[in-house]
């Protein structure tokens, strides 16, 4: 596992992000609730803070997370989006776990599930959880890797963005999982990651023979979707290679996924030149590939 540096303003977490266009009804809300339960059990989460819809501040959870979940999602009109964010953390420590749910009647924009857990979480468990969610929802695109999450009580977003510049494999809500990308997710993916789930429409734009023959990727069908990862499969486990090898594999994976990697609008926290650099952070391998 990569030994990322952390401080009180931000933490590095393994993350799983899902985009889907399911029709939302009472049955689907129940399915999402089961997904949340599985996440809590799998990764030993104890939420203590919440933020709902357009609330500005995080508040203590009283009466358990399910009470809040049902208050937001039961008997509502899903023509509009409904957001719940649960945290495990406090003012003295970086966030330990975070979950973000956005549900609405999928049309132009998708529903979103974001789960962020400990760096020490096993990749095998991450992979299994992604398979589980893919079985229950019509996943359009899912991605898992390392995210920066900033502490809402002791730090602000610019600190996290500054840290992003020192690592090509780190992602964040501010740069990758933001509204500018979300509005374009039907068209493509924002970046390669350690694990990704691709719908058939994305797969049809790729050279799957090249991906299957790659020495740096593993592929597996999950229903009608394709799962790709760049981990080492050793005795049934999913081992993470050292950072240099992981970055090399990410570069190679980018070349294979490039037909579906899209551009989207710049975040306000990065200047234009820094944004351009981030958009092309996996492309330096082309110079060696074309020699």
């Amino acid at each position: 596992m990569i030994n990322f540096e952390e401080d009180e303003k931000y933490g590095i977490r393994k993350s799983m992000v899902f985009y889907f266009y399911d029709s939302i009804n009472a049955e689907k809300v129940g399915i999402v609730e089961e997904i949340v339960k599985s996440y809590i059990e799998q990764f030993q989460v104890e939420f203590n803070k919440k933020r709902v819809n357009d609330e500005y501040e995080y508040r203590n959870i009283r009466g358990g997370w399910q009470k809040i979940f049902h208050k937001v999602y039961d008997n509502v009109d899903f023509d509009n989006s409904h957001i719940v964010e649960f945290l495990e953390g406090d003012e003295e420590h970086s966030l330990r776990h975070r979950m973000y749910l956005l549900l609405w009647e999928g049309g132009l924009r998708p529903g979103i599930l974001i789960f962020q857990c400990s760096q020490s979480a096993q990749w095998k468990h991450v992979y299994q959880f992604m398979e589980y969610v893919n079985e229950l929802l019509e996943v359009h695109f899912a991605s898992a890797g390392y995210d920066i999450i900033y502490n809402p009580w002791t730090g602000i977003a610019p600190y996290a963005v500054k840290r992003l510049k020192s690592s090509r494999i780190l992602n964040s809500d501010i740069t990758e999982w933001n509204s500018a990308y979300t509005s374009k997710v039907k068209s493509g993916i924002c970046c390669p990651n350690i694990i990704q789930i691709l719908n058939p429409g994305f797969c049809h734009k790729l050279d799957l023979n090249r991906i299957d023959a790659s020495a740096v990727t593993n592929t597996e069908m999950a229903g009608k979707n394709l799962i790709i990862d760049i981990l080492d499969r050793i005795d049934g486990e999913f081992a993470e290679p050292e950072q240099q090898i992981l970055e090399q594999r990410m570069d190679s994976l980018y070349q294979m996924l490039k037909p579906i990697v899209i551009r989207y609008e710049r975040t306000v926290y990065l200047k234009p030149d820094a944004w351009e650099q981030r958009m092309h952070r996996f492309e330096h391998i082309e110079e060696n590939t074309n020699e």
Side-chain angles (χ1 to χ4, degrees), residues 122-262:
Q122 296 182 31
W123 282 115
K124 181 177 181 178
H125 293 160
V126 170
Y127 192 97
Q128 290 172 340
F129 183 78
M130 294 181 73
E131 285 184 307
Y132 170 71
V133 175
N134 186 69
E135 291 174 358
L136 298 180
L137 298 175
E138 293 290 328
V139 172
H140 179 76
F141 169 54
S143 186
Y146 283 110
D147 276 12
I148 279 188
I149 54 175
Y150 63 91
N151 193 322
W153 303 288
T154 60
I156 57 177
Y159 287 101
V161 171
K162 184 177 180 180
R163 178 62 179 86
L164 281 172
K165 296 178 182 179
S166 65
S167 174
R168 294 189 297 117
I169 66 174
L170 288 175
N171 300 306
S172 77
D173 289 351
I174 304 163
T175 49
E176 280 67 44
W177 323 123
N178 60 24
S179 59
Y181 168 65
T182 298
S183 66
K184 293 190 174 184
V185 67
K186 274 193 172 181
S187 302
I189 69 174
C190 54
C191 65
N193 216 340
I194 294 174
I195 306 171
Q196 44 267 298
I197 299 177
L198 307 177
N199 73 73
F202 287 163
C203 295
H204 291 159
K205 299 177 182 179
L206 302 174
D207 183 349
L208 296 183
N209 290 328
R210 178 185 177 190
I211 292 175
D212 286 339
S214 168
V216 302
T217 62
N218 305 295
T219 62
E220 182 177 350
M221 294 303 300
K224 63 182 182 180
N225 288 343
L226 178 70
I227 305 182
I228 303 174
D229 73 81
I230 53 174
L231 299 165
D232 289 327
R233 304 292 184 90
I234 302 174
D235 296 329
E237 298 299 324
F238 293 66
E240 179 181 307
E242 61 182 44
Q243 184 169 350
Q244 182 178 2
I245 295 175
L246 188 64
E247 290 187 352
Q248 290 171 352
R249 291 182 183 180
M250 197 82 80
D251 293 336
S252 298
L253 180 63
Y254 171 81
Q255 295 302 316
M256 289 180 275
L257 299 182
K258 195 172 181 179
I260 60 171
V261 177
I262 60 170

